[in-house]
Structures are given as structure tokens and as C-alpha cells.
Amino acid sequence: VSEEEAIQIIADPPLPPDTYTLRDYVDHSETLQKLVLLGVDLSKIEKHPDAANLLLRLDFEKDIKQILMFLKDLGIEDNQLGTYLTKNYAIFSEDLENLKTRVAYLQSKNFSKAHIAQMVRNAPFLLSFSVERLDNRLGFFQKELELSVKKTRDLVVRLPRLLTGSLEPVKENMKVYRLELGFKRNEIQHMITKVPKMLTANKRKLTETFDYVHNVMSIPHHLIVRFPQVFNTRLFKVKERHLFLTYLGRA
Amino acid sequence: MAAPMVPTTFGRGTVRHFRSGAAISPAGAARASGMGSRGLARLHGLFAVYKPPGLKWKHVRDTVELQLLKGVNAGKAPAPEQRVRFLLGPVGDGEEKALTLTATSVPTLTNHPLVCGPACTSLKIGVGHRLDAQASGVLVLGVGHGRRLLTSMYNAHLTKDYTVRGLLGKATDDFCDEGRLVEKSTYDHVTREKLDRILALIQGSHQKALVMYSSLDLQTQEAYEMAVRGLIRPMNKSPMLVTAIQCIHFAPPEFLIQVQCMHETQKQLRRLVHEIGLELKTTAVCSQVRRTRDGFFTLDDALLRTHWDLHSIEDAIQAAAPRVAAELERSLGPGLGTQQLQDPGRPWDSRGPSSALGLESCAGH
């Protein structure tokens, strides 16, 4: 073997065939390096082994770049791409055509471009849902809450998690509000338009908070309707403030 | 034999699923010791936290751990590291071009926080004397090497101060006012003097038990002197013993008593309230148990929920460290045989029960 050929033999230690982290591969893969520079948190993705394998095999130029350009067109900024991809790494396995149809569907329902960008940012999995699923969910909310089309749209834009989360807790909470807590239909509608997060609150915490506010602090229903934020706060905060006020004599 | 070239695609590489149980990742340990010396190195010692009622002590410990981790991991990111790689490149001038390996420093992403995860994933925090869910008050926690001091504190057998609020006229199955009601009774005949008499009786009977469990020979002069000053206490396992008890506030049906005890559980304190009610020929339940002092940590040293972050906890540890060292040295002493004859000099001596009561009960036996 001549000297020149000897130098050209690269004798680096071979890459481990399987490992638990992506650290071993990050230096040798341009894809992973570019993703880290974008801000994607690889330590969270490597907890899902299928996702990590997928990312390793993708090529930056061919697949990832197109999807990134598509997301940028939607309106997601560069610095927000990192957090988005950390949550929804599965978007790389979606077809670009499907993504375009879904965005077109949302636009056909009169969601403005800025609204769509905000929804996608707050609920990263929105674009992974098929058109029929999105349609079903929007229809469900319109029927269940009996709100006008414009109000449903505003609600979904404010809390896009409603579309991506499961529907069972929402149904349960609606029953709780109507039967257990005794709010009327128009009262519930008013509260939801003010504080949409009430729909996804924990049932047990909801009942505990309402029990304390209504029975111990003796606040009637119509006052609670005016300020539904009490269902959003933690119980101990309300308790602390109430005990403090009683200590002062409601001063 | 020729080694294969570095593959450009990763047909063979796979990532396995792994539930990591390691507290600090290996790279994290290297980074933490070098970079986190500001944060982690000073985080060893004892500090006290105010546990609010309605929370389990484990939740409090976990919340404090989360807040500390947030503070420790929020330090500034380390500078991008470099790695030495041997790169192939033509070196030479003129017509002679030879390929040689040159060692160059290349930036590497292997230890980037986004690739490795946060430096610290868990901290070792221990809990001193536990408080149950409905009780509130001072809860002592130990971080890192301070956990060793927790065992020393346990072995020092210091007393604890509680304020217990009782309600006359009711009796429930678990002695607390949210339990199932068992009995209701009148309490008009109860006066402050009767209550004080009952409490003095209790203190007297526990004084006798104190002497018995402390395994001291009362015939010696030193033991007599200690008994006169009221410093006898058991230094090994014993049932709940009350060293002092007095009524602070009496407005029927409510009354407030201050108890100094050791080796107790909060349930036994509630049972004590129930028994006081029985002695008074009525019934009583306990509505609030609050620990105001645990050894040498008082309510002033306890941190509120708003102060559960890295800085305040570090300051609290530093403020408490000298007192902790002094107290433990005095209590446990240089020699184990002379434990009982050491003067613990506990802070409650000055504002503990009135010396008249203490002498009276000592003279009682």
C-alpha cells in the first residue's frame, strides 16, 4: 500500500448500529445538524424511536426543505419553526398535497390567513388531521354549543386545541355545567365565548372550585357567569384570597 | 485491512426506545460540574418550607424539586464545543502536492443542550418529619449532602411546637371536623379553669413518662439538675410525649392550645383534642393543626410558596447552616455516652412554658 493510499484510509471508529440517543449521529448527519440549528429539540424526539429513525433517514434537501417552505408560507416564523417541529415531527411523513388541501379547506370555511397561522402555531397537530376529521369536529362544536358560525370560528381560533383534542371531555363538561352546576344554556354560551378553556378543564377540579365558590363564598350563579375566569384559576389561589379577605373582615 | 468509508446514509443506524433512569446524563454531569458550579455546588443543606393545608407532603417535595431544576437548568448556555478531527487536505507548495492529515478543531454539536436535553433531570431532596395532608406548617427539607443532616436531626430528638385549634360540642370518627359525625353534646359547663386543669394534668402525666423513657437515673445530681431545668427527654424511640401544653385562647366553642411534643403524629394530636373533650365531659374535634417550630426551624425560617425558587432556597440554606451545625453538635455531642448530660440549650427554653408550670410538674413526682 503506497503512502498516499494509506493516508486516504479513514479509520474513524464506526458509527454504533443502534443506540438510545441521537447524539452519536448528530455530527455525521447534515439533516440533524440543520434541524438543531433551526431550534428543534432532538432530546425530546429521540424519546419516540420511530420518529428518530424517520428523521435519520430523511434527506434535508429533498423532503424537509419543501415542508419547511410550506410552513413558512403559512406564516410561521423562523424562530417558531423549532418549537413547532419538536411537537409535530410527524409532519415530515405527510404528503405535501394533503397539507395543501387541508389549508385550502380551512380557507374555504372563511378562516383568514393570519387566523390559520395562529391556529397552526397553537395546535401543531392541526395539519395532520384529514379534511373529513376537521369537518366532523367543526360540525360537532357548532351543534353542541349551538353558537353562530362566526362565534364558533372565533372560538376555534382562540383555542385550536379543541379541534385536535378528544371530544369526550368536552361532552362530559357540557353535561356537568348543565346538570350538576345548574347553568342555563345561554349562560354556558356566554361563559364559553369569554373563557374557552372551561371546556377542557378537569371535571373534579371544576366541581371542587364551584363548590367552594358557590357554597363557602356564597356567590350566586349570575355573578359567576359574569366572571368565568374562576374556573380557570387554581383552587388554592381562590381559597387563599377568600381566607385573607375574611381575616380582614372583607375590608 | 481497509476500514470502510463513513456511510453517507444511515441504512444501518437505528434508535432504540429507552426509559432512562439515570439522574444526570453523562454529558450533563461533565457540564454540570464545570458550568453549574454556581447552581449545584451551593445546593447542599437544610431549609424549611411552609406546607399549606390540603397538600400531601410528597407533592410539596416534588414541586420544590421542579422549581429547583428550573432554576438550575436556566443558566446560560455553554460555549459551542470543539472537537479535533483529522481532515484530509492537500498541503504543499509548488508542484509537489502531498495529501496529509491535518488536525483541525471543528465545532461539534454532540453536547448541545438541544441534543442532550437539560443538564439536570432530578435532584435528591429528602424530607424531615412529615406532615399529613390536613396539617400545615414548617416542613424541613434536605438537599444533596444535607440529607445526612436530616438523620442527625432525627437522632437529636428535638421537640416540635404545634398550635392546635379545637371545636367543642362535636365528635367525629377521625377526630377532625370533616369526618363522619358520631356525637353532639353541650359545652356550656366548660370554663377556662377546667380546661387549664385538664391540660396541667396531661402535662404532669407526660412528664412522668418523659423520665421513664429517657432511662435516666434520677438519683444522680446531674440528672436532678437537668430535671429542675426541664431538659429531660428520651433519646431513643418512644410513644408520643408532650413536654408542655397550654391554652392560648378560649372562646367557646373554639379553643386554641399550644403543644410542645416529640415523637408524635398529627393524628395523635387530634386524638389528644378528642380526649381533652372527653375529660371535660363533652366532646371536641380538631379543626386545625399547625406546626410552628420543628427543632430549630421556626415559622420565620419557613419559605412561602412564592419563594420556592433557587435563589431564596440557597439563601435560606446559607442562613440556617451555622445554626444547624451548632445545634446538632450540642445535641449529639462529641461523646455518645454523655448524651443525656449535655445541655442542648434549645431556643424554646426562654419562651417555653412558664417555669412555674415546669417546676410544679417536676415537684409533682
Side-chain angles (χ1 to χ4, degrees), chain A residues 37 42 78 129 140 160 171 216 245:
Chain A
L37 292 172
L42 290 183
D78 295 337
F129 275 41
F140 166 78
K171 288 191 213 163
V216 177
L245 286 175

Side-chain angles (χ1 to χ4, degrees), chain B residues 153-169:
Chain B
M153 247 189 91
Y154 181 78
N155 292 334
H157 298 282
L158 301 164
T159 57
K160 303 191 232 354
D161 244 353
Y162 285 85
T163 43
V164 178
R165 198 179 291 270
L167 211 62
L168 290 168

Side-chain angles (χ1 to χ4, degrees), chain B residues 22-322:
Chain B
I24 303 182
S25 54
R31 274 190 291 149
S33 53
M35 175 263 292
S37 48
R38 306 183 328 263
L40 275 183
R42 291 198 303 171
L43 208 57
H44 297 281
L46 291 181
F47 62 99
V49 140
Y50 188 86
K51 180 186 111 55
L55 276 187
K56 297 208 169 103
W57 61 266
K58 198 158 183 297
H59 289 333
V60 172
R61 194 206 76 95
D62 292 338
T63 316
V64 169
E65 186 180 337
L66 275 175
Q67 297 292 327
L68 281 177
L69 279 176
K70 262 198 234 173
V72 167
N73 288 332
K76 66 173 173 14
E81 290 178 13
Q82 310 264 329
R83 195 168 60 123
V84 173
R85 276 190 82 174
F86 294 101
L87 295 176
L88 217 50
V91 158
D93 41 345
E95 298 120 24
E96 282 227 5
K97 285 237 182 110
L99 283 175
T100 42
L101 291 171
T102 40
T104 40
S105 226
V106 168
T108 172
L109 283 176
T110 325
N111 286 334
H112 197 265
L114 280 181
V115 178
C116 290
C120 248
T121 38
S122 86
L123 285 171
K124 299 187 183 164
I125 304 186
V127 175
H129 299 277
R130 302 189 286 243
L131 278 169
D132 62 4
Q134 284 153 1
S136 60
V138 176
L139 184 67
V140 177
L141 298 175
V143 194
H145 298 311
R147 289 174 297 151
R148 244 178 277 152
L149 298 170
L150 280 177
T151 19
S152 320
M153 247 189 91
Y154 181 78
N155 292 334
H157 298 282
L158 301 164
T159 57
K160 303 191 232 354
D161 244 353
Y162 285 85
T163 43
V164 178
R165 198 179 291 270
L167 211 62
L168 290 168
K170 278 195 341 184
T172 56
D173 56 351
D174 63 352
F175 311 132
C176 114
D177 57 353
E178 270 133 31
R180 190 174 55 91
L181 196 58
V182 164
E183 196 183 323
K184 272 186 138 167
S185 55
T186 56
Y187 47 83
D188 308 320
H189 57 275
V190 177
T191 58
R192 178 105 194 218
E193 292 83 34
K194 287 195 193 161
L195 186 64
D196 287 336
R197 211 179 307 150
I198 303 283
L199 295 180
L201 260 175
I202 293 176
Q203 184 165 342
S205 62
H206 280 267
Q207 201 73 19
K208 217 167 168 187
L210 267 177
V211 173
M212 194 174 69
Y213 281 102
S214 69
S215 55
L216 253 193
D217 186 16
L218 259 194
Q219 303 298 324
T220 57
Q221 179 65 18
E222 300 98 345
Y224 169 72
E225 276 167 14
M226 279 185 66
V228 157
R229 277 178 303 180
L231 297 173
I232 297 185
R233 60 185 205 280
M235 290 306 255
N236 35 24
K237 272 200 163 178
S238 78
M240 167 169 132
L241 289 173
V242 170
T243 47
I245 188 166
Q246 59 184 146
C247 171
I248 307 177
H249 182 69
F250 181 74
E254 263 199 20
F255 62 92
L256 190 64
I257 49 176
Q258 185 175 14
V259 187
Q260 272 152 24
C261 46
M262 44 196 304
H263 304 160
E264 83 294 343
T265 58
Q266 285 80 45
K267 217 168 179 169
Q268 285 171 336
L269 284 171
R270 295 196 189 99
R271 194 200 195 105
L272 184 69
V273 168
H274 174 83
E275 278 163 15
I276 292 176
L278 288 179
E279 294 281 326
L280 288 167
K281 302 204 176 58
T282 170
T283 46
V285 292
C286 165
S287 52
Q288 186 200 44
V289 176
R290 193 169 178 237
R291 187 191 277 166
T292 42
R293 180 183 65 83
D294 184 346
F296 29 80
F297 285 103
T298 55
L299 274 185
D300 304 322
D301 309 318
L303 294 171
L304 289 176
R305 189 197 289 263
T306 43
H307 297 313
W308 289 356
D309 56 58
L310 188 65
H311 277 303
S312 334
I313 291 182
E314 276 176 357
D315 295 335
I317 293 178
Q318 293 213 317

Side-chain angles (χ1 to χ4, degrees), chain B residues 325-363:
Chain B
E327 285 292 341
L328 285 179
E329 209 186 296
R330 266 184 290 184
S331 301
L332 295 175
L336 289 177
T338 49
Q339 256 177 29
Q340 290 292 355
L341 306 179
Q342 296 274 339
D343 178 5
R346 289 183 299 279
W348 65 261
D349 267 344
S350 47
R351 28 168 225 277
S354 56
S355 49
L357 252 182
L359 280 178
E360 180 191 86
S361 45
C362 279

Side-chain angles (χ1 to χ4, degrees), chain A residues 4 7-12 15-29 33 36-37 39-43 46-49 52-53 56-57 236 240, chain B residues 1-8 10-18 26-27 52 83 85 88 97 99-101 107-118 305:
Chain A
E4 275 203 16
I7 288 178
Q8 281 178 359
I9 297 175
I10 296 178
D12 281 335
L15 289 175
D18 53 356
T19 157
Y20 297 118
T21 59
L22 284 173
R23 278 175 62 210
D24 306 315
Y25 298 136
V26 82
D27 273 329
H28 301 276
S29 155
Q33 278 170 3
V36 172
L37 292 172
V40 179
D41 196 346
L42 290 183
S43 63
E46 70 196 9
K47 293 192 178 125
H48 305 268
N53 287 336
L56 277 178
R57 285 172 176 80
F236 75 84
E240 272 179 10
Chain B
M1 68 190 175
M5 299 281 288
V6 173
T8 46
F10 292 90
R12 285 176 302 136
T14 50
V15 176
R16 231 187 259 155
H17 184 59
F18 180 57
R83 195 168 60 123
R85 276 190 82 174
L88 217 50
K97 285 237 182 110
L99 283 175
T100 42
L101 291 171
T108 172
L109 283 176
T110 325
N111 286 334
H112 197 265
L114 280 181
V115 178
C116 290
R305 189 197 289 263

